[in-house]
Amino acid sequence: MSTAADKLGTQPLDVAAVREDFPILHQSVQGKPLAYLDNAATSQKPRQVIEAVDHYYRMDNANIHRGVHTLAERATQAYEAARERMTRFINAASEEEVIFLRGTTEAINLVAQSWARPRLEPGDEILITELDHHSNIVPWQLVCEQTGAKIRAVSVKENGELDLDSFEEAIARRPRLFAVGHVSNALGTINPIKHLVERAHAHGVPVLVDGAQATPHMAVDVQALGCDFYAFSGHKMFGPTGIGVLWARRELLTEMPPWQGGGEMIKMVRLDRSIWNDLPHKFEAGTPNIAGAIGLAAAADYIESLGIDAIGAWENELLRYATVALEAIPGVRIIGTSEKKSSVISFVVDNVHPHDLGTILDSDGVAIRAGHHCAMPLMEKLDLVATARASMAFYNTQEEIDALAGAIRKAQEVLG
């Protein structure tokens, strides 16, 4: 059976054909056609990813790097093939630099505890931004509490862009690390990562990039970006939950001690000491999410078969269409108007709490997120308790945006 990807190649997206690959989209919710616009929280999975995971459990399920029987060898080959696939997906220099973890959160915690904690001293600074979500805030708070270091944050402007003057002032203080999101999950702002990395490196400051919201929407080339660490999650980019990647330059990973101990991360164990395994296994203690890695590789295949440029072009059109549609509704205010945005629209509606709005939209089959989006410091900076957020993926349609706009008008009639 041919797939949408087979038909499309590098051509502009045929969204109707693409949607045939996503079984979950073909259902009704509350008696209405589902309009899934909560992709920044988690994305839906194409049949190709589901089948890759299903095939592993049906045919190859075994532990990896241990057994000599056929299933164990097939599972090991599939897992390491997934690592090679993700190496190419982000253009890493080596498979040794690609660590499979549970996701972005675990990846950032690993860097905080294994790289930062041994280096930090009282009074040192970790630089983040007011745009970051909790996964790129709390791990640094924990390591600062453990070491006496401090957190400093780059300011964000009212339109959702980073204040580059604030950044220049902060980076000149030579923090020990700059940790920054590639794309804001709350506002959709695309940060100028390459510029930020160049300026940070000019002051001798290494950079960690939280790429959770970038990998589903744009090409990521870690060598071109020039950063030192890059973290992302599988479930945001049409892969399974519980799997993600930490990429780091090999020399950094070599210097870092293991974060967790257990099987597979060792070469030799005696009762009084152990010798650590080589990269990347040094950071993958215990049995990993084998099926997750295989599914993540299938998701990377799917994205690249559609063409990241075609995906970006369609999502930009959806963002433009949604912006026009929501701006036309009296009483609706879009939060975050950066010149460079991903396909995320946060908004508030006069006299309607975002949670109430989300509930009424659900009654029309429209799934959005309402709340602080795990970005409470950003909400406080913008003097907001919460926003409603519609986040789009390449399988969304203009008709779904129309359904969103119609449901907002209905909510205004009911609650306004």
Side-chain angles (χ1 to χ4, degrees), residues 367-382:
I368 65 163
R369 177 58 58 91
H372 52 66
H373 315 300
C374 295
M376 294 177 75
L378 175 63
M379 293 295 120
E380 184 177 3
K381 174 63 182 288
L382 299 175

Side-chain angles (χ1 to χ4, degrees), residues 3 13 18 69 71 89 97 112 118 124 143 167 170 211 224 234 256 340 382 391:
T3 67
L13 289 186
V18 168
H69 56 81
L71 266 59
F89 185 71
E97 297 176 338
D124 284 347
V143 78
F167 167 72
M256 292 161 55
K340 293 186 177 180
L382 299 175
S391 52

